[in-house]
């Protein structure tokens, strides 16, 4: 974490309306390089919406995003990718009819440009995908396997591989462990630690307090689309964070739910 | 790291799934070969002759090009009902500018350009107006473009298309070594080039892969930084372009623009794509399969004509084959879901 240099990312006063629904209301967020920020909140609190604003998928109704101290326009996922912002979506968003390696490089295929037309280099795509998966300690039978034939955990791994294939400065993971068996959860959390060791900022959305307290440096809670509370991990407890999720402050003991 | 090998993958596959995969991939070619064998046996003096086989190639030219455009559209889980009308308008306009004295190289451009323009209208209607489904936009243009064809021509045919313009659709390359009158249609070469071009585009070019991705999961394409609206616009322009190429075939064969040309042609094209194994739900299907689908329809028409079976039977059988082909797709999905 490099606090001296100011935050890698700041979101200020982000508001998002869907018709009459206000999904986000004046939400602020800061993230430092190499920091792992946990974002928690009840179902429908606005976590995914906030992150989709950051990944360029949604445009905010108002508010600004500041990267390295400069305001940026994120009008499309391509814009965000161009600035080194990558996201693993809650619904994974993979093309089941395409093989693993094509999903990892979709939209950014390795290849040669001729007269404005890019010819995909499949061999290179396969090789790069395999090397990248090896680096992440992700096992699939073959990078040629179609994603629709993968298990939930493997598909999750492919989505993570896509988000980390281009040396992102900021990786957003929306409930990456929700569908995973315990062993796979450990792998994802280890990967998050390694990303942050390399100076990548990570935002982790999770309902699992074990995950949040294992990898996050800081945690912030949204409640009904607003900032509710945040703290360094060392300065809070599971019960307190669970309280925030349910919209109560100052509870450190005695909640009915020990864990979510 | 698990070693990747085909044997390992096949172990995972149930025998039923494997059988369905083979049927899906090669079934339509088996049908083509079976039909050719049966027709050769039933009409040994006529069917397997150079004359008849090249005739089939001449007859399928128009459907082959329309089906190629629809294949690209159906890959994105879309549909283009307007290709028959686009072809009619393009034929009519190129016949009109040709008979009014425009130089033939420019006339040749008119067909594809009119097609692209009509396709752009479809694509923009879908993406800018946000119409819920391409069925609606292209149903609208099916009517409107047919209406415009009638308006510009006053509902009358325009004949007298020049030989140069007709060359692509009706030119012949003599094959003296196969007999005195044997020749190979230029239209078949056009088809070969178009099919080869689309196969390369879909399989090797990044834009082609993006089309396949949009068909598999538009959301995945979007979050990967692909501009899905732009892809759809291109796809409908390509469908229009191939309708314009079909117009060149039409003008070549008939030498005229007919306001009623190609009514119902979109349905033949859709049928060929579906018979060829492309999934109506998008993301699945091969160019080679589409060609086989076109051949199945061409062989059926040709064979039944040779045997003097009425056109009513042809319709009946094409309908059954379409349903059969989609049933194979259903079985495949079911096998995939349970394996
Ligand atoms: N595309 C959309 N159109 C309309 N409303 C939406 C859309 N996306 C989200 N919302 C609404 O915005 C609110 C916040 O949703 P969001 O998906 O951000 O919640 P979340 O915190 O990610 O919840 P979960 O834990 O269930 O994933 C909800 O009320 C949801 O119904
Ligand atoms: Mg969510």
């Amino acid at each position: 974490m490099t606090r001296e240099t100011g935050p890698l990312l700041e979101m200020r006063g982000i508001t998002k309306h869907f018709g009459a629904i206000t999904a986000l209301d004046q939400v602020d967020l800061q993230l430092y390089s190499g920091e792992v920020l946990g974002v928690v909140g009840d179902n429908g609190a606005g976590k995914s919406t906030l992150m989709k604003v950051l990944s360029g998928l949604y445009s905010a109704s108002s508010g600004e995003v500041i990267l390295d101290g400069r305001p940026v326009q994120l009008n499309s996922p391509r814009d965000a990718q161009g600035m080194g912002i990558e996201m693993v979506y809650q619904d994974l968003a993979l093309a089941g009819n395409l093989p693993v390696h094509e999903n990892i490089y979709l939209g950014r295929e390795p290849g040669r440009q001729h007269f404005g037309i890019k010819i995909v280099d499949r061999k290179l795509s396969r090789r790069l995908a395999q090397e990248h998966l090896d680096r992440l300690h992700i096992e699939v039978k073959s990078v040629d396997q179609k994603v629709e034939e993968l298990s939930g955990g493997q598909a999750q791994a492919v989505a993570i591989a896509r988000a980390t294939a281009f040396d992102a400065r900021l990786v957003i993971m929306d409930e990456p462990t929700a569908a995973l068996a315990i062993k796979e959860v450990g792998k994802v959390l280890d990967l998050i630690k390694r990303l942050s060791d390399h100076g990548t900022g990570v935002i982790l959305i999770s309902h699992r307090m074990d995950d949040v307290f294992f990898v996050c440096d800081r945690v912030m809670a949204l409640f009904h689309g607003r900032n509710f509370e945040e703290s360094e991990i060392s300065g809070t407890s599971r019960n307190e964070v669970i309280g925030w999720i349910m919209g109560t402050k100052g509870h450190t003991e005695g909640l009915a739910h020990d864990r979510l | 790291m698990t070693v990747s090998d085909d044997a390992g993958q096949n172990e995972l596959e149930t025998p039923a799934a494997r059988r369905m995969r083979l049927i899906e991939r090669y079934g339509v070619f088996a049908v083509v070969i079976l039909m050719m064998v049966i027709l050769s046996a039933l009409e040994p003096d006529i069917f397997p002759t150079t004359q008849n086989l090249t005739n089939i190639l001449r007859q399928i030219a128009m459907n082959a090009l329309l089906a190629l455009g629809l294949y690209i559209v159906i890959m994105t889980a879309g549909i283009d009902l307007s290709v028959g009308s686009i072809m009619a308008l393009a034929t009519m306009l190129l016949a009109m500018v040709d008979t009014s004295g425009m130089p033939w190289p420019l006339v040749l451009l008119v067909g594809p350009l009119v097609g692209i323009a009509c396709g752009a209208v479809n694509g923009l209607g879908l993406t800018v107006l946000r119409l819920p489904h391409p069925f609606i936009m292209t149903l609208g243009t099916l009517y409107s473009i047919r209406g415009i064809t009638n308006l510009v021509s006053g509902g009358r045919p325009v004949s007298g298309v020049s030989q140069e313009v007709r060359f692509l659709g009706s030119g012949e390359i003599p094959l003296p070594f196969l007999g005195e009158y044997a020749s190979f249609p230029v239209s078949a070469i056009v088809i070969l080039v178009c099919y080869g071009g689309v196969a390369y585009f879909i399989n090797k070019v990044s834009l082609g892969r993006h089309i396949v991705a949009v068909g598999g999961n538009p959301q995945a394409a979007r979050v990967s930084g692909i501009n899905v609206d732009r892809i759809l616009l291109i796809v409908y322009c390509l469908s229009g372009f191939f309708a314009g190429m079909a117009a060149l075939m039409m003008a070549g064969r008939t030498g005229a623009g007919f306001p009623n040309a190609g009514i119902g042609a979109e349905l033949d094209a859709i049928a060929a794509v579906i018979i060829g194994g492309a999934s109506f739900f998008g993301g699945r299907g091969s160019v080679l399969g589409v060609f086989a689908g076109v051949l199945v329809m061409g062989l059926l028409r040709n064979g039944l004509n040779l045997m003097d079976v009425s056109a009513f039977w042809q319709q009946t059988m094409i309908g059954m084959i379409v349903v059969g082909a989609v049933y194979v797709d259903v079985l495949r999905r079911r096998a995939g879901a349970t394996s």
Side-chain angles (χ1 to χ4, degrees), chain B residues 284-333:
Chain B
R284 278 175 195 80
S286 70
V287 175
L288 210 55
V290 174
F291 189 64
V294 171
L295 276 180
V296 166
M297 294 183 66
L299 287 169
L300 197 69
R301 293 228 158 101
N302 180 264
L304 296 177
N305 278 340
L306 292 183
M307 292 184 284
D308 273 331
V309 181
S310 84
F312 302 155
W313 273 109
Q314 297 176 25
Q315 286 179 328
T316 312
M317 292 185 65
I318 285 174
M320 296 194 303
I321 292 178
V322 167
V323 173
V326 175
Y327 184 58
V328 170
D329 190 40
V330 170
L331 288 180
R332 188 192 63 77
R333 290 180 149 251

Side-chain angles (χ1 to χ4, degrees), chain A residues 40-42 45 221-228 243-248:
Chain A
V40 298
D42 207 351
L222 292 178
F223 187 71
H224 292 340
R226 296 203 181 91
N227 286 99
F228 190 74
W244 297 346
I245 291 171
M246 295 186 298
T248 54

Side-chain angles (χ1 to χ4, degrees), chain B residues 238-282:
Chain B
L238 281 173
S239 177
F241 167 78
F242 285 113
M245 291 300 292
L248 288 175
M249 301 295 108
M250 188 76 168
R253 277 186 72 104
T254 63
F258 292 97
N260 287 338
I263 288 182
E266 61 282 346
L267 300 181
D268 277 357
I270 294 168
V273 174
I274 298 300
I275 291 170
S279 165
F280 219 60
F281 307 105

Side-chain angles (χ1 to χ4, degrees), chain A residues 102 109 120 134 141 148, chain B residues 1 4 204 209-210 284:
Chain A
E102 284 199 80
E109 299 81 1
V120 178
D134 289 348
K141 270 197 180 306
E148 66 196 356
Chain B
M1 194 73 231
S4 62
K204 301 270 187 252
R209 301 313 294 159
H210 297 173
R284 278 175 195 80

Side-chain angles (χ1 to χ4, degrees), chain A residues 98-158:
Chain A
L98 294 183
V100 168
H101 72 93
E102 284 199 80
N103 267 283
I104 293 176
Y105 294 108
L106 187 57
R108 294 177 282 188
E109 299 81 1
R112 289 155 294 129
Q113 203 94 19
H114 299 288
F115 313 109
I117 290 170
K118 193 206 269 174
I119 313 297
V120 178
D121 186 342
R122 271 176 188 255
K123 254 198 188 138
L124 184 58
S125 169
R126 277 196 196 94
R127 188 165 60 77
L128 291 176
Q130 189 64 65
E131 287 170 4
H132 182 54
L133 291 172
D134 289 348
R135 264 198 305 280
L136 299 182
H137 309 292
I138 292 170
E139 288 173 26
V140 292
K141 270 197 180 306
S142 155
V143 291
D144 285 318
Q145 214 175 356
K146 284 187 180 179
V147 162
E148 66 196 356
E149 294 165 3
L150 300 179
S151 73
Q154 287 175 318
Q156 184 75 58
V158 172

Side-chain angles (χ1 to χ4, degrees), chain A:
Chain A
M1 251 182 288
T2 49
R3 284 293 163 97
E4 308 79 42
T5 56
L8 167 68
L9 166 83
E10 257 188 286
M11 300 178 85
R12 284 193 199 146
I14 302 289
T15 298
K16 176 71 185 169
H17 303 289
F18 291 108
I21 301 171
T22 301
L24 297 173
D25 185 8
Q26 296 287 329
V27 175
D28 298 329
L29 178 151
Q30 294 91 35
L31 181 78
Y32 292 83
S33 289
E35 185 183 37
V36 182
L37 172 69
V39 176
V40 298
D42 207 351
N43 292 124
K47 307 180 294 295
S48 296
T49 304
L50 184 65
M51 293 306 130
K52 285 175 181 173
V53 168
L54 191 49
S55 77
L57 196 61
Y58 292 164
S59 56
S61 309
S62 66
E64 55 179 352
V65 178
I66 296 155
L67 201 64
D68 287 327
R70 277 187 298 275
V72 292
Q73 289 295 318
L74 300 169
N75 294 320
S76 70
R78 172 130 300 169
D79 289 352
Q81 288 172 348
M83 294 169 200
I85 301 173
E86 300 277 346
M87 175 158 173
V88 178
Y89 290 84
Q90 195 168 6
D91 61 1
L92 301 188
L94 297 168
N97 62 332
L98 294 183
V100 168
H101 72 93
E102 284 199 80
N103 267 283
I104 293 176
Y105 294 108
L106 187 57
R108 294 177 282 188
E109 299 81 1
R112 289 155 294 129
Q113 203 94 19
H114 299 288
F115 313 109
I117 290 170
K118 193 206 269 174
I119 313 297
V120 178
D121 186 342
R122 271 176 188 255
K123 254 198 188 138
L124 184 58
S125 169
R126 277 196 196 94
R127 188 165 60 77
L128 291 176
Q130 189 64 65
E131 287 170 4
H132 182 54
L133 291 172
D134 289 348
R135 264 198 305 280
L136 299 182
H137 309 292
I138 292 170
E139 288 173 26
V140 292
K141 270 197 180 306
S142 155
V143 291
D144 285 318
Q145 214 175 356
K146 284 187 180 179
V147 162
E148 66 196 356
E149 294 165 3
L150 300 179
S151 73
Q154 287 175 318
Q156 184 75 58
V158 172
I160 292 173
R162 179 177 62 190
T164 52
F166 288 87
D167 288 331
R169 312 174 58 199
L170 164 55
V171 174
I172 306 159
M173 298 203 187
D174 196 348
E175 301 195 29
T177 58
L180 301 187
I182 290 174
K183 177 172 156 244
E184 306 295 321
V185 171
K187 278 190 187 173
V188 171
L189 298 180
D190 285 343
L191 173 65
I192 292 175
K193 287 214 169 204
R194 268 186 287 142
L195 284 173
S196 84
D197 288 346
H198 284 96
T200 309
V202 179
I203 299 179
L204 171 69
I205 297 179
S206 182
H207 289 289
R208 298 163 49 102
M209 286 307 118
D210 286 347
D211 297 1
V212 171
F213 277 79
F214 183 66
V215 288
C216 295
D217 302 304
R218 197 154 51 87
V219 58
M220 72 175 254
L222 292 178
F223 187 71
H224 292 340
R226 296 203 181 91
N227 286 99
F228 190 74
E229 189 59 275
E230 67 174 89
S231 164
E232 297 294 323
I233 277 293
S234 52
T236 184
S237 68
R238 289 164 202 239
N239 280 342
E240 191 178 33
V241 173
I242 291 165
W244 297 346
I245 291 171
M246 295 186 298
T248 54
K249 283 185 194 173
H251 283 246
T252 51
E253 302 281 342
L255 278 166
H257 301 61
D258 198 21
R259 25 182 303 164
L260 284 182

Side-chain angles (χ1 to χ4, degrees), chain B residues 131-143:
Chain B
L131 293 182
H133 195 279
F135 189 101
I136 294 161
M137 185 64 210
T138 60
L139 181 66
T141 47
L142 171 132
Y143 282 106

